[in-house]
Amino acid sequence: MTDGEQTTDTTRQERASTWFSRLRDDICAAFEAIEDELVGPNPTSAHPAGRFERKAWTRDADGGADGGADGGGGVMSIMRGRVFEKVGVNVSTVQGEFSEDFRAQIPGADQDPRFWASGISLVAHPCSPLVPAVHMNTRMIVTTKGWFGGGADLTPVFPDDDDTDLFHAALKGACDVHDEAYYPKFKDWCDRYFFLPHRNEPRGVGGIFYDNLDTGDWEKDFAFTQDVGRAFLAIYPKLVRRHMDQSWSVDQRRKQLVKRGRYVEFNLIHDRGTLFGLKTGGNVEAILMSLPPMTAWP
Amino acid sequence: MTDGEQTTDTTRQERASTWFSRLRDDICAAFEAIEDELVGPNPTSAHPAGRFERKAWTRDADGGADGGADGGGGVMSIMRGRVFEKVGVNVSTVQGEFSEDFRAQIPGADQDPRFWASGISLVAHPCSPLVPAVHMNTRMIVTTKGWFGGGADLTPVFPDDDDTDLFHAALKGACDVHDEAYYPKFKDWCDRYFFLPHRNEPRGVGGIFYDNLDTGDWEKDFAFTQDVGRAFLAIYPKLVRRHMDQSWSVDQRRKQLVKRGRYVEFNLIHDRGTLFGLKTGGNVEAILMSLPPMTAWP
C-alpha cells in the first residue's frame, strides 16, 4: 500500500466512522421523539418518556483474546423507555490483529492479520407486543482488503402484512437506487442467515443482509451503506407509530416474551457477530446489549 | 462381541435405564411433597401446589440429523409450581448412529458409529431467589466402548456457605465410598466445565462432573452413578426446605432473573450436551427444558 493510498484510506475511514456516529445521533433523536408521543391505553403510558444514556468504552490494548496491537473503542447508547423497553445503539471504531484461529475466515487477513473496523449496531425491543422488534447494523472493515456489510431485519410477535411490506419496500428502495440485483440477493441472504435450524423457523419476517461488499468503487459502496441506514431511519419509526398506541393484552405480552426467547436462542447459538465478538475478547456488555430485557421459556 | 457379552450388555442396559426411571419417580415424588409444604410469606404461597406432567416422545426413526437406524425415546416430566417455578426431569433411552462429524469426538465411535444411550437429566428453577437452582444428570453410553457420565451442580443467586458445604459434602460422600480420588477430580472438572469465559465467572458454586467413567468394573461404575443420584435426592430437597419459606424482596427477584440470564448464556453458548443435542436432531423441547421460565437482561 503506497502513502497516497494510505491517506485515502484514512480519509475514508474517518468519513465512515463519522457517518455511523451521525446516524446514531439521528436514530436516537427519532426514538426519543417517539417516547414523547406515546398516549395509548397501555400501562407503560403512565411511565416517563425514556432518554438514551451513553457510555464510552475503550478497547483493551492487551487484554483481548486476539492479543496484538489493539486500540479504539466505542460508545453504547441505551434507552429503557415506555415505548422501547430496551433499545441499544452501539457505535465502535477499533483496530487490532486477528488471532490465528480467525485469519483463515476473514478476507485479506491470511497474509497480514491487522484489521480496522467501524460500525453501528442497533437492536430495539419494544414494550408493546404489537410493535415489532428490529435489528440494524452497518459496518466498514479494512484488512489488506476492504468492504462494507450490514442489513436490517424485523421481528414481530404477530406479523402484520402491511408492516412487512412497508419495511421491505423501504429497503428495496435503498437497494434499487444502487443496483437492482441487490434487493433479491440481500433479501435471500437475510432469510438464510436469520433462521433457527433447531426450531425450523425464521427469526422474523426478514429484511436484507449483505457482507463483503466491495464493487471496486468505494464511494458507491459507502453511499449504499448510508442509504441502508437512512431507509431504516425512514421506515422503522413509522412502524412503531402504527402500533404503539394500540391496546395489548396480557396474553399477547406472554407470547412476546416467548418470541424473545427465540431471539436469544438465535443470538447465542447462531449469530456469527455475537459469537465472534465473545470469542475475540470484545466488549461483552456492548455485544450482549442485543438480548431482550425480559424473556420467557415457560 | 460374543453372544454372551451381548446378553450381559442388554441386561446392563435394562438395569441402567430402569434405574434412571426409578430415580426420576423418587425425585418427582420428593419435589411434589415440597410443593405441598410451602407456607412462607411470599406471594407464590397462595398458588396451588404444583404437580408434574409427563409427556412421552419417540425418537424419529429417520428425521434426525444423524440419519441411520434411530429409535427409542423418552419421557419429559415438567412441573410449574409454587416452590419450583419450572423444573424439568427428562429420562430417555435412545439408539442410533453418530454422523461422521461426531464420530471422531466420541470414544469407540470411529470404527462403528452405532450407539445406545440412556440417562436422566434435571434442571430446577425455583420461584424464590433464596432457593438455589440446580442441575443433575447421569447417563450410560454404549458404543464399541461403554461408560457412565454425569454430575450435579448448584447455582444460587445469593451463595450461602452452609448450602454450598452441605451440597459438596453430600456429593463427596457419594464419591468417597467408591474412590477417594473421585471427589477432588470431579469437583475440579465441574469447576472447569461450568464456567463462563466471556463473563470470567463460574455458573454457580459447583458440584461434581464426570464423563467417560469406565474403570473396567461395570458394577462398580453403575453403583457409583446410582449413588450420585441418591446423594442429589438426599441433599437438594434439604437445601430447598432451608430457604423456601423465607421472605424475599422484589430486588432479590430482579437479581435472580439476571442470574438466570447467565444460565441461558452458559447453556446456549457453551454446554456441550445442549449444542450436541440441537445439532444431532435431538428433541428440542426436552433439550431446552433447562432454560429458565423468566429471565432478564435489563
Side-chain angles (χ1 to χ4, degrees):
Chain A
M1 192 177 275
T2 69
D3 282 346
E5 282 169 335
Q6 187 80 57
T7 306
T8 309
D9 275 1
T10 303
T11 308
R12 286 173 176 175
Q13 290 171 4
E14 282 172 9
R15 285 173 60 201
S17 65
T18 300
W19 160 256
F20 295 131
S21 292
R22 192 171 306 158
L23 178 61
R24 183 265 325 268
D25 293 343
D26 291 347
I27 289 170
C28 289
F31 283 17
E32 290 185 350
I34 289 172
E35 283 285 319
D36 291 336
E37 289 170 29
L38 184 71
V39 293
N42 301 298
T44 59
S45 296
H47 300 180
R51 286 294 177 265
F52 278 95
E53 290 177 20
R54 290 192 180 180
K55 186 171 172 183
W57 55 274
T58 51
R59 189 168 163 86
D60 187 345
D62 294 302
D66 55 350
D70 299 351
V75 178
M76 293 180 272
S77 301
I78 188 160
M79 178 165 73
R80 296 173 182 90
R82 58 184 191 171
V83 175
F84 297 99
E85 190 172 339
K86 180 181 171 190
V87 50
V89 193
N90 290 312
V91 292
S92 66
T93 300
V94 299
Q95 59 274 348
E97 290 188 9
F98 287 115
S99 69
E100 295 210 17
D101 293 350
F102 283 104
R103 286 173 200 178
Q105 304 170 36
I106 309 286
D110 44 353
Q111 304 285 342
D112 181 340
R114 288 176 296 170
F115 72 92
W116 176 95
S118 184
I120 178 172
S121 175
L122 174 153
V123 173
H125 294 287
C127 297
S128 166
L130 305 180
V131 176
V134 79
H135 159 252
M136 187 277 294
N137 160 241
T138 54
R139 57 192 175 271
M140 173 182 164
I141 316 279
V142 179
T143 60
T144 59
K145 304 188 177 186
W147 67 92
F148 288 94
D153 70 292
L154 199 68
T155 308
V157 185
F158 306 101
D160 170 314
D161 287 345
D162 291 337
D163 287 351
T164 304
D165 291 348
L166 289 165
F167 189 73
H168 277 272
L171 294 170
K172 183 174 188 300
C175 289
D176 286 354
V177 173
H178 298 276
D179 190 328
E180 293 206 345
Y182 279 0
Y183 174 73
K185 184 178 168 190
F186 298 160
K187 175 194 181 299
D188 283 354
W189 201 340
C190 185
D191 288 342
R192 285 195 308 275
Y193 185 80
F194 292 107
F195 187 81
L196 288 81
H198 64 283
R199 297 282 189 184
N200 193 31
E201 66 186 39
R203 179 166 91 167
V205 296
I208 61 169
F209 183 95
Y210 65 105
D211 204 358
N212 306 314
L213 182 69
D214 177 17
T215 62
D217 181 346
W218 185 88
E219 291 294 345
K220 176 181 156 70
D221 298 342
F222 181 44
F224 170 64
T225 288
Q226 289 177 295
D227 281 347
V228 170
R230 289 188 190 104
F232 169 81
L233 180 55
I235 190 59
Y236 182 66
K238 281 191 189 147
L239 304 186
V240 175
R241 289 188 173 96
R242 289 190 77 211
H243 299 288
M244 68 184 190
D245 289 320
Q246 293 171 343
S247 169
W248 47 266
S249 68
V250 170
D251 185 59
Q252 287 169 326
R253 172 72 176 169
R254 218 173 267 143
K255 290 189 168 76
Q256 179 192 41
L257 300 188
V258 172
K259 181 74 179 171
R260 287 178 176 173
R262 304 292 202 266
Y263 209 90
V264 174
E265 290 173 23
F266 180 81
N267 282 22
L268 298 186
I269 300 175
H270 299 292
D271 189 57
R272 292 183 316 175
T274 301
L275 298 175
F276 181 83
L278 294 178
K279 287 177 181 173
T280 54
N283 183 300
V284 175
E285 195 180 348
I287 295 164
L288 296 185
M289 191 181 280
S290 64
L291 298 179
M294 289 288 284
T295 304
W297 284 273
Chain B
M1 192 178 277
T2 67
D3 281 347
E5 281 168 335
Q6 187 81 56
T7 306
T8 309
D9 274 2
T10 303
T11 308
R12 286 173 176 176
Q13 291 173 3
E14 282 173 5
R15 285 173 60 200
S17 64
T18 300
W19 160 256
F20 294 131
S21 292
R22 193 170 306 157
L23 179 61
R24 183 268 321 272
D25 292 342
D26 290 347
I27 289 171
C28 290
F31 283 17
E32 289 185 351
I34 289 173
E35 283 286 319
D36 290 335
E37 289 170 29
L38 184 71
V39 293
N42 300 300
T44 58
S45 296
H47 300 180
R51 286 294 177 264
F52 278 95
E53 289 178 21
R54 291 192 179 179
K55 187 171 169 182
W57 54 274
T58 51
R59 188 168 162 86
D60 187 345
D62 293 303
D66 55 350
D70 297 351
V75 178
M76 294 179 273
S77 301
I78 187 160
M79 178 164 72
R80 297 175 181 89
R82 58 185 193 171
V83 175
F84 298 100
E85 190 173 337
K86 179 181 171 190
V87 50
V89 193
N90 290 312
V91 292
S92 64
T93 299
V94 298
Q95 60 274 347
E97 290 189 10
F98 286 115
S99 69
E100 295 211 16
D101 293 351
F102 283 103
R103 287 174 200 179
Q105 303 170 37
I106 309 287
D110 44 353
Q111 305 284 342
D112 180 340
R114 288 176 296 171
F115 72 92
W116 176 95
S118 184
I120 178 172
S121 174
L122 174 152
V123 173
H125 295 286
C127 298
S128 166
L130 306 179
V131 176
V134 79
H135 159 251
M136 186 278 293
N137 161 242
T138 53
R139 57 192 173 271
M140 174 182 164
I141 316 278
V142 179
T143 59
T144 58
K145 303 188 177 187
W147 67 92
F148 289 93
D153 69 293
L154 199 67
T155 307
V157 185
F158 305 101
D160 171 314
D161 287 345
D162 291 336
D163 287 350
T164 305
D165 292 348
L166 288 165
F167 189 73
H168 277 273
L171 294 169
K172 184 175 187 298
C175 289
D176 285 354
V177 173
H178 298 276
D179 189 328
E180 292 205 347
Y182 279 178
Y183 174 73
K185 183 178 170 191
F186 298 159
K187 175 194 181 299
D188 284 354
W189 201 341
C190 184
D191 289 342
R192 285 196 308 275
Y193 185 80
F194 292 107
F195 187 80
L196 287 82
H198 65 281
R199 299 280 189 186
N200 194 30
E201 65 186 40
R203 180 166 90 167
V205 297
I208 62 168
F209 182 96
Y210 65 105
D211 204 359
N212 304 315
L213 182 70
D214 176 18
T215 62
D217 180 347
W218 186 87
E219 293 293 345
K220 175 180 156 69
D221 299 341
F222 180 44
F224 170 65
T225 288
Q226 289 177 295
D227 281 347
V228 170
R230 289 188 190 103
F232 168 81
L233 180 55
I235 189 59
Y236 183 66
K238 281 192 188 146
L239 304 186
V240 175
R241 289 189 174 95
R242 288 191 78 211
H243 300 288
M244 69 184 190
D245 289 320
Q246 293 171 344
S247 168
W248 48 265
S249 69
V250 170
D251 185 58
Q252 287 170 325
R253 171 73 176 168
R254 219 173 265 144
K255 289 189 169 74
Q256 179 191 40
L257 300 189
V258 172
K259 182 74 178 171
R260 286 177 176 174
R262 303 291 202 266
Y263 209 91
V264 174
E265 291 173 24
F266 180 82
N267 282 22
L268 297 186
I269 300 174
H270 299 293
D271 188 58
R272 291 185 315 177
T274 301
L275 298 176
F276 180 84
L278 294 179
K279 286 175 182 175
T280 53
N283 184 301
V284 175
E285 195 181 348
I287 295 164
L288 296 184
M289 192 182 278
S290 63
L291 297 179
M294 288 288 285
T295 304
W297 286 272

